[in-house]
Amino acid sequence: MNLPEINTNLFKQLRFILVETSRAGNIGAVARAMKTMGFSDLVLVTPRFDNALDDPEAVAFASGAGDILAGARVVGSMAEALDGINFAAAVSARLREYSPPVLTPREVAGQLAAQPELHAALIFGNERFGLPNEIVEKCNVLINIPANPEYSSLNLSQAAQVLAYECRMAALDGAPPSMSVRQPAGDANEIGFQGEAASLAQIEGMYEHLERSLVEIGFLDAGNPRKLMPRLKRMFARAQLEKEEVNILRGIARHMVGKRKD
């Protein structure tokens, strides 16, 4: 039996994304949390103030992690932040009706350590409002930190520290025995074979294609869509789609429309 690979590349491949952060100090504190655990890829999506990476409060709270701030990027959209990512995990204390599968930090960290092909992102929302549903629904999983139910409020940097620690430990110790065995690429008949994970952009393109096709064949009412697409996104998120599977689903969508026009 082949054992899961230890993913020391996780330190280079894991991205921390902060969405619409309000406090410069939190950005610096997240940079510090990342550096203490060996991570460096930090992206800010539309922070709510200018010069977020140079703000004196951010620099002060980074406390020695100025190199993480210097290497961070500020982008204007989630699409830019997720460029090159094929596994996204939303971090939130608030559960959603139509969220992707809910996992603990340790479960997600073990999964990332066991799958070296994943280029993953941990997405943290605004300090007051958290992450909007439309971002959560696009993610592969929702991470919920099992804190004290009587007082579960974690500061943004504290949440980042918990995730960074669990990912570090998983990368150094290897994946837990419960993770599925991976087989050599090309041996598709072996139980446990996994292909190349689809990127978030590929999956989002598939959703858009599928939605257009469902409208075209009359299955989805564009004027009254209800919750069909969020339910489908939740279903496919559980599957952790591979690139070839996305292509198959797009082919099915294309064929549905073609048959209707025949």
Side-chain angles (χ1 to χ4, degrees), residues 206-220 228-229 232 236 247-262:
M206 182 270 291
Y207 286 145
E208 293 172 0
H209 190 174
L210 181 60
E211 184 172 7
R212 290 196 306 270
S213 299
L214 293 174
V215 170
E216 183 73 21
I217 65 173
F219 189 82
L220 174 62
L228 177 61
M229 289 310 298
L232 288 175
F236 285 125
N247 291 336
I248 290 171
L249 289 167
R250 295 194 73 155
I252 292 172
R254 192 160 45 243
H255 193 68
M256 286 191 305
V257 174
K259 281 293 186 181
R260 183 176 176 84
K261 291 180 178 179
D262 290 344

Side-chain angles (χ1 to χ4, degrees), residues 122-183:
L122 303 176
I123 306 173
F124 302 82
N126 174 267
E127 295 92 328
R128 182 177 177 185
F129 303 107
L131 286 170
N133 290 338
E134 56 266 27
I135 291 180
V136 174
E137 290 173 0
K138 292 179 181 179
C139 292
N140 299 89
V141 298
L142 173 63
I143 300 176
N144 186 259
I145 298 173
N148 177 6
E150 296 181 2
Y151 186 68
S152 60
S153 177
L154 283 172
N155 174 270
L156 173 58
S157 63
Q158 292 173 333
Q161 187 74 76
V162 170
L163 267 297
Y165 169 79
E166 291 291 355
C167 288
R168 178 177 181 83
M169 295 307 297
L172 295 179
D173 295 343
S178 61
M179 298 304 296
S180 61
V181 177
R182 303 186 56 76
Q183 300 295 337

